[in-house]
Amino acid sequence: MMNGKLAHDEPMLPADTLRGQVAFITGGGTGLGLEIASQFVKLGARVVLASRNAERLEAAAKDLGGSDVAIACPADVRNYPEVRNAVEIAVKRFGSLDILVNNAAGNFFCPTAELSPNGWRTVVDIDLNGTFHCCHAAYEFLKRSKDGGNIISIITMNALSGWPGAAHAAAAKAGILSLSRTLAVEWGPDNIRVNTISPGPIADTEGVRRLYEERARADLERRRVALGRFGSKRDVANAAVYLASPFANYVTGENLVVDGGRWLKFVTQ
Ligand code: HXC
């Protein structure tokens, strides 16, 4: 707290906001997923990090405070039995599963005419099928969550506009938006809230590196944002914290746009 004003990187909610909650975070070993995990832990949650790279997951879990608060569960979200197994390990270790964050994603720039069917399938498999696998495997545990279950999936507003050069990712993310809205209604009676977050370009992430920086488009993309700058991982984690918290108890089926006004600028100019 500086001059009575909350600094951008201070916790925005009471330190025990997520106490007793167990979160399963895909792609939790790096980038946005790791930042979300870190903020969840600061607010009292225990986290399960899932992705393909066991070594990175172990290092991340250790940095987050070790096995009392964070464990690594290697799994490829494309593989349902692996996902199911990771979810069961998580519940066995921490006793419940309350929050699922579908953050794992694959993406690369490739004009559609040059995209191989396997390239298309790979991204749809990671993003859309992976999200379905995690939701499906987590459902029976989320509905037993004592405070209500929570699903948060990371998508992008490019899912709605289309995404020249990334048709696979845009289509997959649009599928996740639709799936989330369906599940919000189907699983509402089970007290499971289902929401999405649409980040804009976020500095220091694999996505911005691959899609913008490596293609020398970073300055152009910054100008396309109403606020004129890339977001931070913390900006997205704050949105995830809000959606996971009791402060969003009546929020479901929502897509929370955290893009610095990029979408609005796109449709108004
Ligand atoms: C064309 C490509 C390609 C490229 C892979 N392929 N990269 N085609 N251009 N740059 C094709 C391959 O040739 C192959 O098809 C098929 O895709 C599968 O490739 P593999 O390498 O075998 O797959 P795999 O090892 O499973 O890797 C998955 C991946 C990889 C998605 C391709 O990039 C990955 O693991 N990414 C994870 C990290 C990531 O992408 N993070 C960024 C997410 S960003 P063929 O036909 O040859 O067999 C994001 C939002 C960004 O989602 C928002 C920005 C604002």
Side-chain angles (χ1 to χ4, degrees), residues 32 52 56 76 78 103-111 114-123 126-127 154-156 158 163 168-169 173 199-202 205-212 221 262:
L32 281 183
R52 283 178 291 171
R56 251 191 333 229
D76 186 333
R78 292 173 279 194
N103 164 75
N107 204 351
F108 51 81
F109 176 82
C110 185
E114 294 158 31
L115 181 63
S116 73
N118 194 37
W120 167 271
R121 192 179 310 115
T122 299
V123 170
I126 297 170
D127 294 19
I154 306 298
I155 60 164
T156 163
N158 292 8
W163 196 350
H168 43 12
K173 298 285 192 180
I202 302 301
T205 58
E206 180 78 1
V208 158
R209 188 180 65 72
R210 280 173 182 240
L211 298 168
Y212 298 156
E221 295 297 339
R262 181 186 189 278

Side-chain angles (χ1 to χ4, degrees), residues 18 20-24 40-41 44-48 67-71 93-96 98:
L18 298 178
Q21 303 280 299
V22 177
F24 188 94
F40 279 12
V41 167
R46 287 168 296 168
V47 295
V48 180
S67 60
D68 285 345
V69 292
I71 59 166
R93 173 68 185 86
F94 287 140
S96 69
D98 310 283

Side-chain angles (χ1 to χ4, degrees), residues 24-26 100-104 130-132 134-135 151-154:
F24 188 94
I25 303 171
T26 68
L100 165 65
V101 180
N102 293 303
N103 164 75
T131 297
F132 168 78
C134 292
C135 292
I151 300 176
I152 298 165
S153 300
I154 306 298

Side-chain angles (χ1 to χ4, degrees), residues 9-43:
D9 59 351
E10 286 181 53
M12 72 172 183
L13 296 172
D16 61 352
T17 298
L18 298 178
R19 190 165 49 195
Q21 303 280 299
V22 177
F24 188 94
I25 303 171
T26 68
T30 53
L32 281 183
L34 180 54
E35 181 64 22
I36 291 170
S38 165
Q39 296 309 318
F40 279 12
V41 167
K42 281 187 188 153
L43 295 171

